[in-house]
């Protein structure tokens, strides 16, 4: 391994990996007792092994904080949804998993399909800085967005503040629907969230190509699929 390349990924002696613990697909396990655990943790450890360095995990409760750590140079790699706004300061690899973005409403809500959400007078609660917050900010024409600090708070906020709709990643909302009586998921999806590995822009083209090739290899070898299965993760598929 080229020592100069290794130093780009481990300038402080170890690979610093930024984790978003608020995304249950990326950094949660239904089978492993240790924490953190999940597909993103497995990928970080495998990348560190390939580089021949140790790995340090920087753990955050929101995607926005994880993105900020990369932008500020506090982390060497991260795991987050591809988004054009974030891409201003971050290099994204090809996606390694895809997750559906969905809506949840109260059981007695008059809203029955995704097309009925974006109407005047309706409010949608999202986790601030999440991929679906960024997407809905760009695409909604009439409905109003209400932001809460973390994705795990959206359903409780919807009920407590009489908000019409909660938006989030489908696995999280499915868990919330099972936890909170009197709620239901709308069918289908309003977006597909492409999750990728990422690194700060400004690193060499060689480093970017190395990380891109790493993700492609992890998908092709079955590593990502096995990690999702091993951690009992549903609601996500390996990206094509």
């Amino acid at each position: 391994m080229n020592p100069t390349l290794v130093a780009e990924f481990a300038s402080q002696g170890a690979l610093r990996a930024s984790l978003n613990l608020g995304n249950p697909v990326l950094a949660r396990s239904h089978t492993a007792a240790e924490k953190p655990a999940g597909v993103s943790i497995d990928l970080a450890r495998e990348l560190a092994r390939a580089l021949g360095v140790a790995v340090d995990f920087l753990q955050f409760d929101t995607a926005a904080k994880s993105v900020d750590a990369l932008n500020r140079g506090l982390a060497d790699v991260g795991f987050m949804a591809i988004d054009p706004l974030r891409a201003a300061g971050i290099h994204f690899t090809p996606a390694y998993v895809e997750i559906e973005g969905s809506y949840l409403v109260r059981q007695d809500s008059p809203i029955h399909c995704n097309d009925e959400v974006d109407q005047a007078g309706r409010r949608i609660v999202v986790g601030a800085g999440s991929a679906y917050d960024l997407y809905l900010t760009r695409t909604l024409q009439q409905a109003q967005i209400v932001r809460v600090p973390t994705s795990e708070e959206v359903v409780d906020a919807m009920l407590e503040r009489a908000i019409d709709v909660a938006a989030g990643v489908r696995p999280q909302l499915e868990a919330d629907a099972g936890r909170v009586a009197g709620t239901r998921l709308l069918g289908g999806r309003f977006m597909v969230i492409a999750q990728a590995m990422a690194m700060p822009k400004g690193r060499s083209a060689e480093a970017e190509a190395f990380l891109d090739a790493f993700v492609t290899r992890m998908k092709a070898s079955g590593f990502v699929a096995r990690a999702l299965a091993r951690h009992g993760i549903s609601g996500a598929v390996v990206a094509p």
Side-chain angles (χ1 to χ4, degrees), residues 25 96-100 192-193 224-225 228 233-240:
V25 172
Y96 64 91
V97 297
E98 292 182 340
I99 314 169
E100 292 183 339
V192 174
I193 303 169
V224 175
L228 291 171
I233 301 300
S234 61
V237 297
V238 180

Side-chain angles (χ1 to χ4, degrees), residues 213-227:
F214 170 78
V215 169
T216 298
R217 187 168 69 252
M218 292 299 97
K219 291 192 293 181
S221 68
F223 182 96
V224 175
R226 291 192 298 272

Side-chain angles (χ1 to χ4, degrees), residues 29-196:
S29 177
H30 300 292
T31 60
E34 72 272 10
K35 293 186 179 184
V39 62
S40 60
I41 289 85
D42 291 351
L43 284 168
R45 288 193 171 119
E46 185 63 15
L47 177 60
R49 187 198 64 77
L51 292 167
V53 299
V55 59
D56 290 336
F57 293 115
L58 286 70
Q59 302 178 44
F60 302 100
D61 59 354
T62 69
K65 293 176 183 177
S66 181
V67 170
D68 182 62
L70 271 188
N71 283 327
R72 294 170 58 197
L74 302 178
D76 300 302
V77 295
F79 303 83
M80 58 200 62
I82 299 171
D83 185 87
L85 184 62
R86 294 172 178 171
I90 289 173
H91 168 78
F92 287 103
T93 69
Y96 64 91
V97 297
E98 292 182 340
I99 314 169
E100 292 183 339
S102 300
Y103 293 129
L104 180 142
V105 297
R106 291 182 297 277
Q107 191 67 47
D108 59 357
S109 171
I111 302 172
H112 293 282
C113 67
N114 291 337
D115 291 343
E116 297 173 351
V117 170
D118 189 14
Q119 294 185 15
R122 286 191 170 148
R123 297 187 298 159
I124 304 170
V125 59
V126 302
S130 62
Y132 48 91
D133 175 14
L134 300 178
Y135 175 83
L136 292 173
T137 298
R138 290 193 299 271
T139 58
L140 290 178
Q141 300 296 313
Q142 300 182 76
Q144 175 189 354
I145 293 178
V146 179
R147 294 175 178 86
V148 294
T150 71
S151 297
E152 293 179 336
E153 298 176 55
V154 296
V155 172
D156 290 336
M158 181 191 76
L159 297 174
E160 292 168 3
R161 298 163 62 178
I163 298 171
D164 303 287
V165 181
V169 295
R170 192 167 191 88
Q172 179 70 59
L173 293 183
E174 286 177 340
D176 287 333
R179 174 180 65 87
V180 181
T183 61
R184 57 181 168 85
L185 274 168
L186 298 187
R189 65 197 186 197
F190 66 84
M191 71 177 297
V192 174
I193 303 169
Q195 297 285 345

